[in-house]
Amino acid sequence: MSSGNGKGRQYLLENKLMINKADYPNGKVPFKAYIILVNHWCHKIMLTIAQIAVVIMLCTVFMNVVLRFCFNSGIAWAEEVPRLLVTLFTFLACAIGVRDHMHISVTIIYNRFKKGGIARKIMDYLADIATLFCGILLMYYGIKYVVTLRPGFLPMTGWPTWIQYIPAPLGGFLMTFDSLLFLFGILDPNDLLYSEPEVDYQELLKQQQAELAAQGGKN
């Protein structure tokens, strides 16, 4: 039993889903650490939902294709359900991408400024504000559509119509949550959950040139 608990604790620590009190010698865990922990759990839950949605979508589509081409039949709801799952996965993936700044960005102007300088900090701040604005819009209008379309039902599954708009407020909430934490400095941009640190090839090139120049000076 203790071995199972040890593995569970190790898993939680490795996935940043548990606070390691050993990191705080004085024994006092700051409130900021609990907020970050909630953020990590929110992302873990959303990621799990997105993964399940993709698996169910792929299995449903594959099964329907086999039934149609091999048995000349099909599943009545096999088009409606994958469409709902694609919407769910898309909005959650969009929100997840905000957490590690994985969305496509144009950095031609950004890279011209000094790394760690005030200009880059201002541009990072503006980017977080724009993301916050998008997250609030998604959450607001998503909830509005859910409330407006509550009486209806989908034609094939008979599920409530509002269920297809649930991903919008979910994704909007996660985007808003992340953006606020970045704006208030609670989350460190280098605290990555889904990706590895991005390689700055310009800095790498400068280091290589400096090393070559130093070697040439020695020779």
Side-chain angles (χ1 to χ4, degrees):
M1 191 70 177
S2 60
S3 177
N5 291 337
K7 290 181 179 179
R9 177 182 172 82
Q10 186 65 25
Y11 171 82
L12 292 175
L13 289 174
E14 289 177 354
N15 289 273
K16 303 178 181 180
L17 300 175
M18 182 179 180
I19 295 175
N20 189 3
K21 293 186 178 181
D23 295 335
Y24 305 95
N26 56 5
K28 294 182 179 179
V29 181
F31 183 68
K32 172 182 175 181
Y34 289 105
I35 298 177
I36 295 174
L37 181 65
V38 171
N39 179 263
H40 289 174
W41 269 105
C42 286
H43 274 275
K44 183 63 176 178
I45 293 170
M46 295 297 184
L47 177 63
T48 303
I49 293 173
Q51 290 172 333
I52 293 172
V54 170
V55 172
I56 294 175
M57 180 189 66
L58 292 175
C59 290
T60 303
V61 172
F62 176 77
M63 185 168 55
N64 195 46
V65 169
V66 171
L67 289 174
R68 287 198 176 199
F69 285 92
C70 298
F71 301 97
N72 198 26
S73 64
I75 307 172
W77 46 264
E79 292 184 8
E80 191 169 86
V81 170
R83 186 164 60 246
L84 295 175
L85 294 176
V86 166
T87 305
L88 175 63
F89 172 77
T90 301
F91 277 98
L92 293 185
C94 179
I96 287 171
V98 171
R99 178 60 174 75
D100 284 6
H101 297 91
M102 292 188 294
H103 289 292
I104 296 174
S105 58
V106 180
T107 58
I108 296 175
I109 298 176
Y110 183 84
N111 290 337
R112 290 182 179 273
F113 295 105
K114 182 181 178 181
K115 188 175 182 180
I118 186 66
R120 284 199 177 189
K121 289 182 180 179
I122 291 173
M123 296 180 77
D124 289 335
Y125 189 74
L126 292 175
D128 289 332
I129 290 177
T131 306
L132 174 63
F133 181 70
C134 292
I136 292 173
L137 286 180
L138 269 177
M139 190 163 49
Y140 172 75
Y141 284 105
I143 294 173
K144 188 175 180 180
Y145 271 102
V146 167
V147 174
T148 304
L149 299 173
R150 188 169 49 186
F153 295 93
L154 295 173
M156 302 306 297
T157 58
W159 293 347
T161 307
W162 55 263
I163 200 171
Q164 61 186 324
Y165 293 101
I166 283 292
L170 285 178
F173 163 74
L174 203 57
M175 291 172 66
T176 303
F177 190 21
D178 288 340
S179 300
L180 287 173
L181 295 187
F182 281 125
L183 284 170
F184 286 103
I186 297 174
L187 270 181
D188 184 354
N190 295 321
D191 177 22
L192 304 177
L193 287 180
Y194 308 105
S195 59
E196 297 294 330
E198 186 177 355
V199 178
D200 190 338
Y201 290 101
Q202 290 186 345
E203 291 294 327
L204 186 61
L205 181 61
K206 289 179 182 179
Q207 291 178 3
Q208 291 176 347
Q209 289 175 344
E211 290 175 0
L212 289 173
Q215 292 176 359
K218 290 180 180 180
N219 294 334

